[in-house]
Amino acid sequence: ASPGSRVMSLTHPDGGPPAAPHDGGAKALSLVVVSGGALEWGVPAAVVRVIANEPEWTGSPPLDLAAALGLGSPKGGEQYRRILVLGAHQGEVAISAAGKISLREVDADAIAPLPPLAMGGRHAKVFAGVILGEGQGPLFILNVSATSSYARGSR
């Protein structure tokens, strides 16, 4: 990234993932969450390598997750479009995300598996689980390895 660019790296200077605060009780998990569309989704912060504004992105074409899943973009979401670069076993995958991006701490034990019929077809394994909170919609947790494979297969 060039000086003055609006690219954010989520790794420490030593190259490790960001540390998650831990109180010794529940197993805390830091998630980067994309919200504002038909689907709120998150990914463990430890696998997010870069968050960049879409106009400044010069890497490989990103996977538009909402379009791939047949979901619309959030109202006004185009102005909030970012590229999340995720580290996966097979390398890195860039995902285009419309909506607001935030960092959220969750209890890892609160992640429930998806029911078998929740998502069907080609993208059935894109999500690893879901968090259901009182008074909130579901938060789907991205399966990074499956998303990387899906992105390679969609090109």
Side-chain angles (χ1 to χ4, degrees), residues 22-86:
H22 198 302
D23 62 5
K27 201 163 58 169
L29 177 65
S30 295
L31 296 175
V32 173
V33 175
V34 178
S35 57
L39 182 73
E40 183 175 46
W41 58 274
V43 62
V47 301
V48 178
R49 303 296 181 242
V50 173
I51 298 175
N53 288 325
E54 189 174 60
E56 298 169 359
W57 178 247
T58 58
S60 62
L63 171 67
D64 186 335
L65 190 60
L69 297 176
L71 304 171
S73 292
K75 189 174 187 177
E78 296 305 315
Q79 65 187 345
Y80 297 113
R81 194 165 284 279
R82 305 284 188 266
I83 306 299
L84 278 69
V85 178
L86 311 178

Side-chain angles (χ1 to χ4, degrees), residues 97-150:
K100 295 183 181 177
I101 296 177
S102 60
L103 189 62
R104 189 179 305 172
E105 293 290 322
V106 300
D107 177 357
D109 294 332
I111 301 172
L114 287 173
L117 298 176
M119 302 286 282
R122 203 172 143 230
H123 46 267
K125 296 185 180 184
V126 170
F127 295 105
V130 63
I131 297 175
L132 302 170
E134 282 189 39
Q136 299 177 338
L139 170 60
F140 292 91
I141 309 302
L142 207 61
N143 179 332
V144 178
S145 295
T147 303
S148 177
S149 297
Y150 183 86

